[in-house]
Amino acid sequence: MCSEPSPPWRPASALDEWVQREARPISLRQLTFFGRTLTENRLLSVANYVRTELPTRIAHRLRDMQTLPYVVVTNPNMLHVYEQYNKAFEKLRRVPEIRTIADNDRYCDVIHQTLEEHLTVIPRLAMGMLECHDLMGADRIDKFMNTLLRSRISRRVIAEQHLALTETFNSPWKHPDAHTNTESQNDFVGEVFLRCNAKEVVERCGKMATELAKQAYGEDLPVPEIRIQGHLGATFPYILGHLEYIVGELLRNSIQAVTERRRNHSPPPPIDVLICEAPQHVIIRISDQGGGISRDVLPSLWSFAKGAHSQTRLQNLHKVPKMAATMQELKVPDSERCDRDKNGNFKTRGKRQPDKSLSSLTSRSPTLRLGMGLPMSRVYAEYWAGSLEVHSLEGYGVDAFLQISKLGNKNEQLTTRASMDAV
Amino acid sequence: MFLRQVLRATSRKEFSRLGTRVGRRRLFGSVPPPISPATQRWAYPSSAANVGHDEVSKLASQSLHPLSLSDLVKHGRPPLSAGSLFDSANFSSRLLPVRLAHRIQALRNLPFIVVSNPHISRIYNNYLHSLSTLLPYAERPIKTLEEEIRFTEIMADLVGTHSNTIPILARGFLECRKYISPSEVKRFLDEHLRARIGTRLIAEQHIALHYSSRLHGDPNVLPQKDESSSYIGVIDTALRPEKIIRNCESFVSEICELKYGVRPSLVINGEVDTTFTHVPVHMEYIITELLKNAFRATVEHGNEREPVEVTIAAAPAELLGKGNNQVWTTTDENSMHRELGVDAGSAATASSSSASAGNIQPLPLDHSTPCVTIRIRDRGGGIPPETLPNIWSYSFTTVSEDEPQGSGNPANSGTVGALQTISNAGPGSSLAGLGYGLPLGRAYAEYFGGGIALQSLWGWGTDVYLSLRGVGRIP
């Protein structure tokens, strides 16, 4: 650790200039709007929006990091993240205006490469923050992490959305009449899945979490049944990867708690999922009988830095960067990403992992406890103007409430997003 | 429509009667407290009692002793010996003047024009009067039975004098609404209400101990030690949540059937057999309020076939065995309370300070479930999102919206609307059913370090989480 180099000095003026600019928030509605009536001009204007927006948002986070105590930024993990951000900033701010489709394709390659390089950010950041928790105070760390993660989500959303729109634009069936390309043909508009079905998402995530649990605990061990009731037809537009991550984390927690509490009993009590649809939102309630959360854990439940098991969490986090590489290769064949040329193959589209950094987290083994599933999930939920609450019945079980705003119906999402981006 | 309103009014009266009924029954047992003629005469003194400004400032500068359940049971199980009863009296006489002085101080810090209001000044004078009656005992400890009897009468006077404080204050604040902001009123009432819970509990506890010890009655009747009773004063050391829930259920069901002709059923699951130490009247108040809401919503949503589900959870015993009571006194928890801005003197966590200072020997845990969480889950359609922000304000009942007294303006249902409701209740009424249900229930729950959380599923139902802390060791 002592041999670790200190951060190189860079002139601050370039960054200063970008920090002057405000982020221009965009709503999910706008994202889909562009996708539905895609023309060359529209695509190029989106490209240029992304071109100026990414370095602006990165600049704000860089300045954030620069204001952290020196001792924190020189932590090897933090330094890694800082350098990643700097590298991305330097690369993205130099991209000249995008005037042609060819320009755009080159730009997409840059974005794609940057997204790949940043896959290690979350685990490294989490490790750095755990290592620094006594250097700058847990509350400040949590605030920093929340802002940073939120901004990271926003950048990845607009970047991935642009990649997806470019894909759509280049797809063979899109041309010549772009205007008939509506959801009847494809439920995706770019990254936005227009008709997320809550029940299907819960079922899919439940299946995956159950399989993972069986891998970890053995096939013979009875895993709790997942029962779904309520408004089973509820649909809403959402980014599927985000929803699957949150629901997956919640179900994983529940299955784990129930299974570990009742190792010798069979059958274990079921996990009850309720889907409740209202005009403005959908609530997914997940109730388990896994024994609840004890009082001494409760205060640090939503914190990235607080909590009792920080050492174990650190060790577990060390395993994630490696996993991120291997799981990626397993899940997403390289060919799919690299062959993303003008005649992209859309057969694999439905299976594409929208946010690859999430998929490595989603598919990790249940024994690998990182202690950030809940705070991360909350950041994701709040990002799209939703919320995540947990109520513990100590000695009995936990109820988790995920509230999702039905973004497609609401205009005020823009302002909500604006205020959140301004954080 | 008219019939509906009449029915509502009826049930409202019924509901409000409950608070009084439950309160009296448990607090005073079979022996009603003697109300001396002096009490009546002194109930609403027209002028300030004889208490110096310095006296109040001096007392108010002392910090409040954070009251815990273990404070209230530390004098042992009744019947108490004369010595223990004196201890209890002296404990009360030590705490109460400081508490009253803090309230007086808070009243004094209100704008002059507000305290000049006859209602507010009446309350202010009540407090001055009560303090003046207590001051003599703060100087010299109680050593004889005669002194103890007089002191208990003063306690009864205190409880009686202040029983209507909240409606009177509400009327006063309503009349002063031009001169004080709703948020200031809310802040004052919030604090006042919480402080009041502790003050009354101290007084009521001593009164209850006094009567259950029966040292003063007929000399021929020997105090008999009732081993089977789990009560210490107003505290039940083997409180069975399931029993309270069933009691409240039958009461609320009656009202519900009277009003609607139907009622939902209620199922209880989880740790049905658990017991812990708590104040039954507090719990009855809270559960009744919550069940009223659940039943009403379920029936009005046309879902009376769907049972209201109550789940009782008890914190596992092994958690508590691992230390003395470190589980309750973690710094996180204390800081949490500070963050909530709860009056330090009223929102006492079950702290260890009194236990170590007092004469309690740590005993093996008889009832090792000091934290009980109760979930009440209904299928009543939930709470409209636009209503949700108001549910913890005093002003609010979802029922009163279409009733005439709200001056017909739903936008007006802020603090003023609520105060209107309260102050219309007039003297002699209890708070129950007047829009105080949830906030007052929460104040009771938070008082000993518990809480109430609510989760609405609009279009489906509501889940309410009530957590209560008990006390681990009983002498």
Side-chain angles (χ1 to χ4, degrees):
Chain A
M1 208 181 257
C2 310
S3 62
E4 203 63 38
S6 55
W9 187 84
R10 291 187 181 87
S13 54
L15 187 62
D16 285 347
E17 194 186 302
W18 284 88
V19 170
Q20 294 297 315
R21 309 188 189 191
E22 291 275 336
R24 287 180 296 155
I26 191 166
S27 72
L28 201 47
R29 178 179 270 231
Q30 284 173 306
L31 289 181
T32 57
F33 175 75
F34 273 115
R36 283 188 180 175
T37 51
L38 202 57
T39 62
E40 184 174 326
N41 274 344
R42 281 231 162 105
L43 185 69
L44 292 181
S45 86
V46 173
N48 282 303
Y49 167 78
V50 176
R51 183 182 64 92
T52 54
E53 203 62 13
L54 288 180
T56 306
R57 296 186 185 196
I58 291 177
H60 283 275
R61 300 288 70 77
L62 271 174
R63 182 49 44 89
D64 249 21
M65 285 189 233
Q66 289 174 343
T67 57
L68 293 179
Y70 184 78
V71 63
V72 171
V73 186
T74 47
N75 168 287
N77 284 310
M78 287 304 293
L79 199 57
H80 171 87
V81 174
Y82 181 67
E83 286 304 306
Q84 288 280 355
Y85 269 66
N86 253 311
K87 216 171 124 193
F89 175 67
E90 291 300 323
K91 194 161 60 184
L92 292 172
R93 77 181 173 99
R94 288 166 209 271
V95 175
E97 196 190 339
I98 297 153
R99 294 167 199 274
T100 65
I101 292 297
D103 283 351
N104 183 51
D105 286 340
R106 272 193 298 280
Y107 181 56
C108 285
D109 288 339
V110 174
I111 297 178
H112 185 237
Q113 191 197 343
T114 314
L115 286 174
E116 290 285 301
E117 284 169 2
H118 277 239
L119 282 177
T120 53
V121 161
I122 289 185
R124 293 296 286 261
L125 196 63
M127 282 191 278
M129 284 293 133
L130 277 172
E131 285 165 355
C132 295
H133 76 276
D134 50 349
L135 298 176
M136 61 182 268
D139 290 337
R140 199 172 159 201
I141 287 183
D142 282 332
K143 196 167 165 246
F144 173 77
M145 282 290 274
N146 276 311
T147 316
L148 194 101
L149 286 174
R150 204 170 269 190
S151 162
R152 184 175 190 273
I153 297 169
S154 79
R155 295 190 313 270
R156 290 187 92 84
V157 165
I158 57 174
E160 304 234 14
Q161 176 71 3
H162 181 60
L163 290 182
L165 287 182
T166 305
E167 253 181 275
T168 309
F169 184 77
N170 290 335
S171 69
W173 45 260
K174 195 227 94 192
H175 280 301
D177 53 340
H179 292 271
T180 59
N181 175 26
T182 53
E183 69 265 49
S184 59
Q185 265 176 304
N186 195 326
D187 277 343
F188 277 101
V189 174
E191 283 299 325
V192 184
F193 193 51
L194 285 176
R195 260 206 272 269
C196 269
N197 180 304
K199 174 175 168 274
E200 284 168 16
V201 170
V202 172
E203 277 170 351
R204 198 161 49 241
C205 295
K207 215 167 170 183
M208 184 163 180
T210 305
E211 274 166 27
L212 286 168
K214 281 190 182 292
Q215 277 171 29
Y217 302 113
E219 281 290 331
D220 311 331
L221 197 77
V223 177
E225 183 201 351
I226 298 173
R227 303 191 300 200
I228 309 175
Q229 62 164 341
H231 306 136
L232 302 180
T235 62
F236 45 89
Y238 213 76
I239 293 192
L240 201 55
H242 292 185
L243 186 63
E244 285 178 343
Y245 172 73
I246 303 170
V247 173
E249 284 296 320
L250 297 177
L251 285 175
R252 163 199 294 269
N253 283 345
S254 289
I255 290 176
Q256 212 165 300
V258 174
T259 314
E260 294 188 359
R261 188 185 187 215
R262 319 239 169 178
R263 263 184 185 277
N264 303 315
H265 297 39
S266 67
I271 292 165
D272 280 307
V273 180
L274 171 75
I275 295 158
C276 169
E277 187 182 23
Q280 307 286 319
H281 58 251
V282 172
I283 294 178
I284 301 176
R285 178 185 74 192
I286 300 176
S287 304
D288 68 55
Q289 296 178 36
I293 303 163
S294 79
R295 266 162 285 175
D296 46 347
V297 175
L298 227 39
S300 58
L301 201 61
W302 300 106
S303 171
F304 289 98
K306 290 179 212 156
H309 310 293
S310 53
Q311 277 313 309
T312 333
R313 284 160 58 190
L314 252 181
Q315 286 163 9
N316 287 342
L317 278 166
H318 275 286
K319 297 176 192 158
V320 177
K322 290 174 206 153
M323 275 185 66
T326 55
M327 290 308 290
Q328 230 80 83
E329 278 151 26
L330 277 177
K331 289 239 140 197
V332 189
D334 269 358
S335 56
E336 190 196 331
R337 283 280 173 188
C338 300
D339 291 354
R340 209 185 36 76
D341 57 14
K342 281 140 207 92
N343 301 313
N345 175 7
F346 288 92
K347 279 174 198 155
T348 54
R349 183 165 186 171
K351 286 185 236 153
R352 218 166 65 85
Q353 292 293 323
D355 190 335
K356 289 169 76 188
S357 69
L358 277 181
S359 72
S360 73
L361 288 170
T362 308
S363 53
R364 74 186 190 276
S365 159
T367 49
L368 203 56
R369 276 166 211 195
L370 306 178
M372 50 187 243
L374 281 180
M376 275 275 286
S377 297
R378 182 179 261 183
V379 173
Y380 273 98
E382 287 177 353
Y383 182 71
W384 294 117
S387 66
L388 178 61
E389 296 291 339
V390 164
H391 296 281
S392 161
L393 289 120
E394 197 184 355
Y396 181 84
V398 168
D399 292 350
F401 291 80
L402 170 65
Q403 178 169 321
I404 295 151
S405 284
K406 289 163 119 182
L407 301 156
N409 310 337
K410 292 176 76 179
N411 286 323
E412 62 265 38
Q413 284 315 307
L414 241 181
T415 52
T416 315
R417 274 291 310 278
S419 60
M420 286 202 296
D421 276 335
V423 168
Chain B
M1 188 62 201
F2 175 69
L3 182 66
R4 196 175 153 101
Q5 279 170 6
V6 170
L7 283 173
R8 269 194 180 140
T10 318
S11 73
R12 187 173 271 246
K13 252 179 254 152
E14 281 300 325
F15 279 140
S16 59
R17 232 168 30 221
L18 173 77
T20 346
R21 205 178 72 185
V22 170
R24 295 262 160 78
R25 189 175 71 226
R26 279 292 157 69
L27 285 183
F28 301 119
S30 53
V31 189
I35 305 288
S36 65
T39 309
Q40 314 247 331
R41 202 170 59 241
W42 278 100
Y44 303 112
S46 54
S47 63
N50 186 19
V51 183
H53 268 263
D54 298 351
E55 200 85 55
V56 175
S57 312
K58 208 176 80 196
L59 283 167
S61 69
Q62 295 178 29
S63 61
L64 290 170
H65 171 82
L67 186 67
S68 73
L69 275 177
S70 50
D71 279 333
L72 295 172
V73 296
K74 71 178 176 185
H75 304 293
R77 287 185 187 276
L80 299 185
S81 66
S84 296
L85 196 58
F86 298 159
D87 283 347
S88 166
N90 287 319
F91 175 74
S92 309
S93 73
R94 220 171 38 246
L95 295 191
L96 289 175
V98 182
R99 293 183 151 263
L100 294 179
H102 274 266
R103 297 325 310 146
I104 292 169
Q105 189 90 323
L107 281 159
R108 281 181 178 177
N109 288 334
L110 290 173
F112 175 78
I113 190 168
V114 172
V115 188
S116 309
N117 174 281
H119 300 290
I120 311 257
S121 82
R122 182 161 118 196
I123 297 301
Y124 177 61
N125 283 326
N126 280 353
Y127 272 93
L128 283 176
H129 157 73
S130 295
L131 182 60
S132 74
T133 61
L134 278 168
L135 279 180
Y137 295 92
E139 326 247 293
R140 59 184 158 83
I142 291 152
K143 291 197 193 94
T144 67
L145 278 179
E146 288 70 35
E147 284 174 320
E148 196 274 333
I149 291 171
R150 271 200 300 281
F151 181 73
T152 305
E153 278 171 14
I154 287 170
M155 292 289 97
D157 172 46
L158 179 79
V159 170
T161 304
H162 295 269
S163 57
N164 257 330
T165 297
I166 300 292
I168 296 168
L169 275 180
R171 175 167 285 276
F173 281 123
L174 187 64
E175 290 175 5
C176 294
R177 66 182 181 276
K178 267 193 264 178
Y179 316 115
I180 186 163
S181 73
S183 64
E184 271 177 280
V185 173
K186 185 179 183 315
R187 198 162 52 237
F188 179 88
L189 279 178
D190 265 343
E191 195 188 322
H192 195 86
L193 207 66
R194 279 166 166 77
R196 209 169 155 268
I197 293 174
T199 306
R200 292 180 78 79
L201 204 53
I202 293 169
E204 286 165 347
Q205 178 70 351
H206 181 73
I207 296 169
L209 287 175
H210 172 93
Y211 284 107
S212 56
S213 298
R214 286 187 233 153
L215 284 163
H216 327 274
D218 188 345
N220 297 322
V221 182
L222 286 174
Q224 37 180 258
K225 197 134 188 152
D226 184 5
E227 292 293 349
S228 64
S229 171
S230 54
Y231 276 81
I232 299 177
V234 296
I235 293 163
D236 188 351
T237 58
L239 180 65
R240 197 176 143 98
E242 185 259 351
K243 205 177 132 212
I244 299 255
I245 294 164
R246 286 294 177 205
N247 284 346
C248 298
E249 180 209 353
S250 74
F251 172 74
V252 174
S253 299
E254 271 176 38
I255 305 303
C256 193
E257 284 192 340
L258 186 72
K259 183 175 173 185
Y260 300 103
V262 285
R263 53 156 295 197
S265 62
L266 184 140
V267 294
I268 302 181
N269 53 32
E271 305 283 332
V272 175
D273 296 321
T274 196
T275 64
F276 74 129
T277 299
H278 210 78
V279 185
V281 274
H282 287 187
M283 191 168 166
E284 272 171 7
Y285 180 85
I286 303 167
I287 298 281
T288 304
E289 285 304 321
L290 298 179
L291 287 186
K292 266 159 53 183
N293 290 340
F295 275 40
R296 184 178 57 209
T298 306
V299 172
E300 289 190 351
H301 197 59
N303 251 348
E304 62 272 7
R305 281 161 197 273
E306 298 285 346
V308 172
E309 183 191 353
V310 181
T311 306
I312 302 169
E318 54 269 24
L319 226 183
L320 302 152
K322 76 182 178 190
N324 295 330
N325 50 4
Q326 64 188 48
V327 186
W328 304 336
T329 53
T330 58
T331 44
D332 278 332
E333 207 165 274
N334 289 337
S335 63
M336 199 169 73
H337 276 283
R338 278 199 298 277
E339 280 161 24
L340 288 172
V342 179
D343 177 7
S346 55
T349 50
S351 71
S352 60
S353 57
S354 63
S356 51
N359 49 3
I360 307 172
Q361 295 301 311
L363 296 175
L365 300 167
D366 283 340
H367 310 293
S368 50
T369 53
C371 187
V372 168
T373 314
I374 295 165
R375 178 182 66 197
I376 300 178
R377 181 172 271 185
D378 70 59
R379 289 285 307 275
I383 298 164
E386 62 274 17
T387 303
L388 216 43
N390 296 324
I391 56 169
W392 301 114
S393 69
Y394 294 104
S395 27
F396 203 82
T397 52
T398 38
V399 150
S400 67
E401 262 175 37
D402 54 5
E403 283 180 334
Q405 61 186 353
S407 70
N409 185 1
N412 211 5
S413 63
T415 307
V416 171
L419 294 183
Q420 190 107 45
T421 318
I422 298 157
S423 64
N424 283 349
S429 72
S430 90
L431 299 177
L434 295 173
Y436 263 79
L438 278 177
L440 188 54
R442 183 159 80 165
Y444 277 121
E446 283 173 355
Y447 197 78
F448 290 114
I452 300 183
L454 182 147
Q455 197 79 45
S456 159
L457 296 132
W458 178 227
W460 185 267
T462 307
D463 288 356
V464 181
Y465 303 83
L466 165 67
S467 68
L468 294 172
R469 300 286 172 88
V471 60
R473 291 162 285 180
I474 306 297

